[in-house]
Amino acid sequence: HMHLPRRNGAPLLAALLVLLAVLQHCAAACSSGLDCSLNGECGGGVCHCFPGWHGTSCAAEVAACQRHPRLRNVVGDTYHLYVAVMANKCPLSDWQKNSLVVHAVSPTLEGPYTYADTAVDVWAHNPQVLTAADGTLLLFHIGSGAGGHPANCTTPSLDRSRNMHSPHQHRTPDFDVEPGSTLHTAASPEGPWTPLPHALPPCNNPAPMLHPNGTYFLLCESSRLYSAANYTGPWTVVTDVGRLSGGVRGTYEDAFLYMNTKGFWHLLFHVYNHTTPCGNCPGTIVSAHYFSTDGLHWHTTSIQPYPNTYQRTDGTTVTLATRERPKLLLDAHGVELALVNGACGVPSCPPTPACACKRQFWDYTLVQRIDQR
């Protein structure tokens, strides 16, 4: 029997009702799929996460142990990596002069990857390849890729500016080198890549997606969403996603737009701040996640989808100063196979903020398989 405390001979029913309300609230972790970050289904007040996600609200991505840092689109039995490389061994601080897009290949997702060719010349940065409805390969990137005069951070005898330039890329003489982004197209992963001047709207860090209904979508500045019937445009503003309340706090950039197997819209971001002095960087802010049922009305969570650490197959944990430019490798059905990031290979560089270590130290492309169990 339960004996309730009494005050003036009456049981404290109010206290019991409050306790029952709290217990009921704790048990009811969700009321719809939105409470499960659209990465799971709500059943019986509990989120049942889709493969690759975990947590009470399915907000954290499950990454398997890391083997080799490399990856990108898969064609046939070959994996193709399109990644930004700094020409002439220059640091990332020279990215607006020396960044170009390199194409590398591997028979396995984990690599190692072998250099195949330079897809797009300087300056070109943050590449993402999308397959169009007609099978054309679309390479979106920051910069024009029209060539130029990259800085030489090597000795004259080691200057690689000539052999790093693409011998296959089509050049347009009047293709101006200017701020913004560019679309290159090719019939095969090996190129040649042809620029389509003025095909994109004013855009920084372009994040493209091809909807199952054949519509092309493009997120620019990690906020403004465009749509077009064809990848050549014209592009129409759909909505401005903006910054949502209740999310991870910091500066948002490097968006990646995709649709999962259930037809829900998702956005991954790199998030950073300039206030973390970075002693050993555990818990450094690096990521955020938005989700939507229709691409118009967006929601978020305060939980980071991935941290600034990863575990290697030998059991050791690697801490990164920063983990940026998130991309997902998706199969033909939208299943998330691997998470791809640009990473800074040092754990700290005090007193410099963690997000700025990348300008001084070695950076690389990090790929982790996503655990589908």
Side-chain angles (χ1 to χ4, degrees):
H1 298 281
M2 179 182 292
H3 297 281
L4 297 175
R6 293 174 175 267
R7 180 177 296 168
N8 298 328
L12 295 179
L13 292 178
L16 178 60
L17 290 175
V18 170
L19 176 61
L20 290 175
V22 170
L23 292 175
Q24 185 178 21
H25 174 75
C26 292
C30 65
S31 59
S32 73
L34 289 173
D35 296 323
C36 306
S37 310
L38 296 181
N39 286 322
E41 296 176 341
C42 181
V46 177
C47 286
H48 302 275
C49 302
F50 301 145
W53 296 89
H54 72 101
T56 57
S57 60
C58 306
E61 203 153 28
V62 183
C65 295
Q66 171 66 18
R67 288 182 180 274
H68 302 284
R70 298 285 185 264
L71 164 82
R72 224 0 261 144
N73 272 351
V74 59
V75 178
D77 294 327
T78 301
Y79 286 84
H80 296 264
L81 167 72
Y82 297 91
V83 64
V85 172
M86 303 303 116
N88 303 331
K89 298 185 178 180
C90 286
L92 190 60
S93 56
D94 289 318
W95 69 278
Q96 287 186 300
K97 295 179 293 184
N98 283 53
S99 182
L100 46 76
V101 178
V102 160
H103 169 222
V105 295
S106 172
T108 62
L109 187 151
E110 290 91 348
Y113 282 76
T114 303
Y115 172 88
D117 55 75
T118 298
V120 181
D121 214 336
V122 294
W123 70 282
H125 200 64
N126 191 18
Q128 182 177 338
V129 174
L130 184 73
T131 302
D134 62 4
T136 301
L137 296 180
L138 311 176
L139 198 164
F140 296 77
H141 61 85
I142 305 171
S144 68
H149 304 284
N152 181 12
C153 302
T154 68
T155 62
S157 62
L158 296 177
D159 185 356
R160 299 185 300 160
S161 60
R162 295 195 177 196
N163 59 31
M164 285 296 287
H165 289 188
S166 173
H168 304 296
Q169 181 186 337
H170 289 206
R171 284 186 170 78
T172 305
D174 59 353
F175 193 41
D176 296 333
V177 177
E178 58 186 12
S181 298
T182 304
L183 172 62
H184 278 74
T185 65
S188 74
E190 293 76 21
W193 294 92
T194 303
L196 297 183
H198 316 299
L200 302 182
C203 191
N204 184 37
N205 283 332
M209 183 188 80
L210 176 59
H211 194 280
N213 67 13
T215 303
Y216 293 86
F217 288 91
L218 183 69
L219 192 79
C220 298
E221 284 77 43
S222 297
S223 182
R224 192 168 58 256
L225 183 64
Y226 292 88
S227 70
N230 191 289
Y231 56 81
T232 58
W235 297 88
T236 303
V237 175
V238 175
T239 187
D240 195 315
V241 177
R243 291 294 158 259
L244 306 180
S245 61
V248 176
R249 299 180 63 180
T251 300
Y252 284 53
E253 65 170 5
D254 300 349
F256 178 77
L257 175 66
Y258 71 102
M259 185 170 285
N260 69 4
T261 57
K262 302 297 182 180
F264 297 135
W265 299 60
H266 293 270
L267 278 168
L268 295 181
F269 299 91
H270 169 231
V271 182
Y272 68 93
N273 65 64
H274 288 289
T275 60
T276 305
C278 191
N280 193 25
C281 292
T284 294
I285 295 172
V286 291
S287 65
H289 173 218
Y290 284 7
F291 45 94
S292 171
T293 59
D294 57 10
L296 297 174
H297 305 92
W298 292 84
H299 308 264
T300 190
T301 172
S302 61
I303 299 173
Q304 294 193 91
Y306 57 86
N308 70 318
T309 60
Y310 65 89
Q311 188 177 24
R312 298 186 64 87
T313 51
D314 62 5
T316 59
T317 298
V318 177
T319 300
L320 301 167
T322 186
R323 188 174 185 179
E324 309 186 7
R325 303 203 181 281
K327 303 282 191 295
L328 288 175
L329 178 66
L330 308 172
D331 72 6
H333 305 289
V335 174
E336 301 141 20
L337 301 179
L339 172 65
V340 187
N341 293 100
C344 181
V346 296
S348 64
C349 56
T352 303
C355 63
C357 294
K358 62 187 178 183
R359 304 189 185 279
Q360 306 173 40
F361 294 92
W362 180 57
D363 303 311
Y364 58 90
T365 299
L366 171 67
V367 178
Q368 280 190 286
R369 280 189 180 271
I370 295 174
D371 194 340
Q372 295 297 320
R373 290 173 295 176

